[in-house]
Amino acid sequence: MTHTTLGDVARTAGVSLATASRVLNGSTTVRADLREKVMAAAEALAYRPNAHAQALARASSQVVGLICHDVSDPYFAAVARGAMRVAADHDLMVMLASTFRDPDREIAYVSTLRAQRARAILLAGSAFQDPAWERALDAELTPYQEAGGRVAVLSRHRARADAVLPDNRGGAASLARALLGLGHRDFAVLAGPPALTTVADRVRGFREALAEAGVRPAPDRVVTGDLTRDGGHAAARELLSRGPLPTCVFAVADVMAIGALTAFREAGLRVPEDVSLAGFDDIPVVADLTPPLTTVTLPLEDLGERLMTLALAPAPRRRHHRVPAEVTLRASTAPPRPA
Amino acid sequence: MTHTTLGDVARTAGVSLATASRVLNGSTTVRADLREKVMAAAEALAYRPNAHAQALARASSQVVGLICHDVSDPYFAAVARGAMRVAADHDLMVMLASTFRDPDREIAYVSTLRAQRARAILLAGSAFQDPAWERALDAELTPYQEAGGRVAVLSRHRARADAVLPDNRGGAASLARALLGLGHRDFAVLAGPPALTTVADRVRGFREALAEAGVRPAPDRVVTGDLTRDGGHAAARELLSRGPLPTCVFAVADVMAIGALTAFREAGLRVPEDVSLAGFDDIPVVADLTPPLTTVTLPLEDLGERLMTLALAPAPRRRHHRVPAEVTLRASTAPPRPA
DNA sequence: GTACGCCGGGAAAGCGCTTTCTGAGAGCGC
DNA sequence: GCGCTCTCAGAAAGCGCTTTCCCGGCGTAC
């Protein structure tokens, strides 16, 4: 990797290194003819400044880190899109990392981004309920912040970090109430890994709202699976194998609902005639399913934009954006069939 | 951004900078007690080496760049996932950039990645048919490669660059033949921007195979739209407005097919009874649609893995991976209704 | 015509590392 | 016991930039 350097440019332009640097950085105190020469030389040599050297000299880099669970999950894809748009507006590059829901990998990535002296680190994936992990993560984040690094988190809490907080609990509760309103009393939940706080919040909100109405799903009606299409598919099959179907199934994430929908279809069940199905997130494709999926809508791209915006606009004190989650009723839910 | 430096570590460990560096880089020629002290100091100070300084001193960085059209497009999301997995195996970070199909932005990103001294630049989005753009891109890529940078491209050609080449043309042709085999003679095509080579290849392959069978879709049966769900939706509506529906519609990308499917449903048409619909790519969700979508399957994650692998394993000469594209018949296509 | 102040460009230091070079001390053979 | 080699740590140079400092030359004021 032996690229053209500023020295090369300066030499062919016949000026000093300092002058070349000044020109390329838009200083106005350089005589026009010299400026021309430098520009011409840079152009001719296809010169690009070494970002590492710049970062070192300026003690600041042009990169921000974005850590999510899985880029290919439509939820994170949308969040990343929003975040990257804002980054692009600020001429920043984003380093994207997928943890695949491995807590250790998240810490490792934070560490790497710390080494990269990233301007900001965005944690977009929900947290894990694990004190040891929390401590280890803090051990990376705290020195980073003390050195001036910015941290912004999505769907999780951290002292001294700005946060974008979609209302997982409230959204799930609203959904439950809407479903109760349709007449359902017999529910099942397809849950993701309980260690994920997002999952826990959604299950909790859903349960609480049911409890208010005096409804309590039996323990075997809460099935846990991966937070993926296949996880939802497997969880739905598991549910089917456990006996009589409830009238309504809530999948804690749309991706799981998609898998469940197919599992139901494969089992010869019609949605919503035989069973109502609802998801969470409102990822782009679910409105195009047959039937279109009832879900809780989150402004996904907006979440990413806010996250990045928070991270890039330092504020004296910690800020929270609470983002409402609204129920979107579609055709996948209907009143239960009279028994 | 004032982080702990190697100097701090060396000082608190009571050794020289050189020794501290040696320890942290795993040199074996350091006495055990000194090694201990350095490790302890690094640990205590939560030290993380400055990647920029390392990159500068070692003249090599730990980042690779991946440029695609849109991360939130399931096609690229899957490709990115594959590529990032391989990168993670090599302890590399990936800088991800979305061009949103703006040719200039692609060039700008290449330029930025050049400045970042990225180990490799992967161009995952299809090319634009535009000689001026091609030249401008070359002006960035050539000096990069001459300086030792690696370039790998997906679905496009470039002299001196390794390439992963899914068989867009052949896949579309096979699909056309399968559709002809079902008895269709009356086709429409929902095409993306014709400036994109991938789109052009797919349309061409499809047409050629039809031509072999003596079938030629009328010009007004080729509708152009954005390569997105909404683009497909709009294109399908446009098609419907142009008069009698063909018996079979080919969308050049699954995302467009998804939009078309909904447009058809909204128009009261049943797929495949009233019209057969086929896509291209086999993005994860299309098998879960109702009806499941007939499409041309590409091993998306594998594409990304190969792309990254090619880029990271320098070879004396240019390599091409041709990737076959196989027709996957699902329920969205059926023989046409007898007229 | 002289003194002063500005303007603009060059020299050089320094960012945080790696790595070569150098040299001090220990261990060995004779 | 002397000189040799070998081991291992420190000094210092250098990676490619930015930026401060400095100095020469010019314009202005008197």
Side-chain angles (χ1 to χ4, degrees), chain A residues 6 12 35 38 149 153 163 187 240 264 304 314 328 338:
Chain A
L6 226 209
T12 80
R35 162 182 305 282
V38 171
V153 299
F187 295 92
L240 289 173
F264 289 152
T328 300

Side-chain angles (χ1 to χ4, degrees), chain A residues 71-140:
Chain A
V71 239
S72 72
D73 180 321
Y75 172 89
F76 292 111
V79 170
R81 184 186 213 251
M84 290 173 63
R85 259 182 21 80
V86 175
D89 291 345
H90 291 253
D91 275 314
L92 297 172
M93 288 299 278
V94 359
M95 286 196 180
L96 188 53
S98 295
T99 64
F100 299 108
R101 302 200 171 75
D102 174 350
D104 294 336
R105 209 178 307 218
E106 175 167 314
I107 293 174
Y109 277 126
V110 169
S111 179
T112 302
L113 288 170
R114 203 144 82 76
Q116 294 288 342
R117 299 301 188 260
R119 277 265 186 87
I121 296 180
L122 313 192
L123 302 177
S126 92
F128 304 90
Q129 304 200 27
D130 175 350
W133 168 79
E134 197 98 37
R135 250 173 284 127
L137 181 61
D138 256 37
E140 292 289 342

Side-chain angles (χ1 to χ4, degrees), chain B residues 92-151:
Chain B
L92 297 172
M93 288 300 278
V94 358
M95 285 195 180
L96 189 53
S98 294
T99 64
F100 299 107
R101 301 200 172 76
D102 174 351
D104 293 337
R105 208 179 306 219
E106 175 166 314
I107 292 174
Y109 277 127
V110 169
S111 179
T112 302
L113 289 170
R114 202 144 83 76
Q116 294 288 343
R117 301 299 188 260
R119 277 264 186 86
I121 296 179
L122 313 191
L123 302 177
S126 90
F128 302 90
Q129 303 199 27
D130 176 351
W133 169 79
E134 196 97 39
R135 248 174 285 125
L137 182 60
D138 255 37
E140 291 290 343
L141 252 21
T142 303
Y144 174 70
Q145 293 186 288
E146 281 172 356
R150 308 259 330 142
V151 175

Side-chain angles (χ1 to χ4, degrees), chain A residues 1 48 111 115 147 229 262 288, chain B residues 1 48 51 111 115 147 229 262 288:
Chain A
M1 286 293 221
R48 292 266 50 206
S111 179
R229 183 263 178 212
T262 295
D288 295 305
Chain B
M1 285 293 221
R48 290 266 53 205
S111 179
R229 182 265 179 211
T262 295
D288 295 305

